[in-house]
């Protein structure tokens, strides 16, 4: 099943989620006998709780919407709308609460209008989750076409705002006709033990069941979303057990609702972290491929040119010498003709590995093209570079790669060396030309030897 979330659940995450669910269940069971006990009345806590919930769900909606923008998965967009709707409705609850923005609430709303706001939020939120899960089940690969992405994004972002404003206007206009679910004393036993309360709990049971049924918790995010849905069920049950405002159940139930938001926010942040890790890994992989030669695994010519320019600039700043080593496989065309191109590729790979094994940490070795290799030897004078080049030449001979099927000689290499000293004022291209000229002289002198740009040589 394809969707917008990819982080797989780990054994630790499953254990953590199970432990959290167990602890929350034990806490809810411990609170039930005392849920209806009256607690100190602190009216300011309600808008504080609702504001915290609105902020948390706004962040969640933003992160999920970003995920939708990246993946174009319709189910992800619906989940973002669900959390956006919850955030906006929570904000409206704060506005309709008496004593927050006015003595009687937003635009004169009565307190029971805020209760209906709460009901529509806690019913609409899980139903949007169920809708997203059903879409994921029926059309798991559904994506929004790129040409309609901005329109879909606008719909998922502004749709919840339109619905929230419409519900707000409806509840404000029809408020007097709505059943009174909370008494002036703050008791909401009618709500808690009536059909509305049962409907609210069942909406979240349906959300939890749909998540488990459709996703099978294959991805980490859906496991935490399921735990968040379970937290909402406990929230409602503990709240209804209190059956009145400012009871132990009323206060402690807020913990479960805020826990649900915190759990899902944490899951999304983890998803973002995993996405960053995947992007970083992809970038590093792409970068590594861009600077490496596909046949040998050595650096590419493009990377070598950049490294040489950097080394020249460093040499001019600090005055330290460095050497360039250019290597060519002797009689490689004949080797290819006799053994075939696949054998020729194997020969190039073996010599490339041999060259890389003879160089030091910090040296840069690249495939220059065809059967040619080039190396930058930083902070290396001519005598040291000659020793390195000769060591490599001997190592290739030790490979004993037969030049032809009659074993008439083994594959050898020739090398040209140029050392850049403090007094040098050449461009990188001119330095390469010096090393190439030394290589040409080594070839002309009989091959299987090393020449320097100053005509010194080491003969095999």
């Amino acid at each position: 099943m394809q969707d917008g979330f990819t982080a797989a659940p780990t054994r630790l995450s499953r254990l953590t989620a199970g432990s959290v669910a167990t602890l929350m269940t034990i806490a809810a069971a411990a609170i039930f006998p005392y849920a209806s006990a009256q607690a100190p009345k602190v009216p300011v806590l309600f808008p504080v709780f609702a504001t915290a919930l609105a902020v948390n769900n706004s962040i969640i909606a933003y992160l999920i919407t970003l995920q939708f923008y990246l993946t174009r998965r319709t189910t992800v967009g619906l989940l973002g709308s669900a959390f956006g709707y919850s955030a906006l409705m929570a904000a409206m609850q704060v506005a309709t609460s008496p004593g927050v923005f006015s003595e009687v609430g937003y635009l004169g709303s009565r307190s029971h209008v805020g209760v209906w706001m709460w009901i529509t939020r806690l019913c609409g939120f899980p139903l949007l989750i169920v809708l997203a899960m059903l879409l994921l089940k029926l059309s798991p690969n559904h994506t929004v076409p790129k040409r309609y992405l901005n329109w879909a994004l606008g719909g998922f972002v502004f749709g919840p705002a339109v619905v929230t404003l419409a519900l707000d206007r409806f509840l404000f206009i029809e408020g007097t006709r709505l059943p009174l679910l909370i008494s002036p004393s703050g008791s909401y036993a009618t709500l808690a033990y009536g059909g509305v309360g049962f409907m609210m709990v069942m909406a979240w049971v349906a959300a939890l069941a749909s998540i488990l049924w459709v996703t099978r918790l294959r991805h980490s995010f859906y496991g935490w979303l399921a735990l968040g849905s379970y937290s909402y069920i406990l929230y409602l049950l503990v709240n209804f057990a209190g059956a009145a405002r400012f009871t132990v159940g009323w206060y402690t139930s807020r913990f479960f609702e805020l826990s649900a938001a915190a759990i899902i926010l944490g899951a999304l942040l983890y998803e973002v972290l995993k996405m960053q890790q995947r992007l970083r890994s992809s970038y590093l992989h792409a970068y590594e491929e861009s600077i490496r030669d596909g046949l040998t695994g050595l650096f590419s010519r493009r990377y070598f040119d950049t490294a040489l320019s950097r080394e020249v600039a460093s040499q001019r700043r600090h005055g330290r010498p460095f050497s360039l080593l250019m290597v060519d496989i002797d009689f490689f065309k004949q080797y290819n003709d006799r053994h075939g191109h696949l054998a020729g590729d194997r020969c190039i790979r073996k010599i490339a590995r041999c060259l890389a094994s003879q160089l030091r940490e910090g040296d840069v070795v690249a495939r220059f093209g065809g059967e040619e290799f080039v190396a930058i030897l930083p902070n290396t004078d001519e005598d040291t570079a000659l020793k390195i080049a000769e060591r490599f030449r001997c190592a290739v001979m030790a490979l004993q790669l037969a030049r032809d099927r009659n074993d008439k000689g083994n594959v050898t290499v020739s090398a040209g060396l140029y050392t850049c000293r403090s007094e040098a004022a050449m461009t990188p291209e001119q330095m390469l030309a010096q090393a190439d000229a030394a290589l040409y002289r080594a070839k002309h002198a009989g091959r299987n030897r090393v020449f320097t740009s100053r005509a010194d040589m080491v003969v095999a």
Side-chain angles (χ1 to χ4, degrees), residues 110-179:
R110 287 157 292 279
S111 62
H112 75 281
V113 172
V115 174
W116 279 101
M117 279 281 182
W118 177 69
I119 293 169
T120 53
R121 175 173 70 84
L122 287 176
C123 287
F125 187 13
L127 290 179
L128 285 173
I129 294 176
V130 171
L131 180 61
M133 293 299 104
L134 288 176
L135 181 59
L136 182 60
K137 180 67 176 179
L138 297 174
S139 185
N141 299 317
H142 188 272
T143 57
V144 175
K146 284 187 176 180
R147 62 181 180 275
Y148 299 129
L149 179 58
N150 289 334
W151 287 100
L153 185 64
F156 287 132
V157 171
F158 295 108
V162 172
V163 172
T164 301
L165 290 174
L167 286 172
D168 173 62
R169 290 299 82 204
F170 172 79
L171 292 173
F172 176 74
I173 294 169
E174 301 294 331
T176 55
R177 302 180 186 180
L178 294 173

Side-chain angles (χ1 to χ4, degrees), residues 48-61 86-88 90-91 261 265:
V48 170
F49 281 132
T51 302
L53 182 66
V55 171
N56 257 324
N57 281 348
S58 296
I59 297 172
I60 293 170
S86 177
L88 290 170
L265 179 58

Side-chain angles (χ1 to χ4, degrees), residues 95-118:
T96 56
S97 298
V100 178
F101 294 106
S102 69
E103 289 298 321
V104 293
Y106 168 63
L107 295 180
S109 300
R110 287 157 292 279
S111 62
H112 75 281
V113 172
V115 174
W116 279 101
M117 279 281 182
W118 177 69

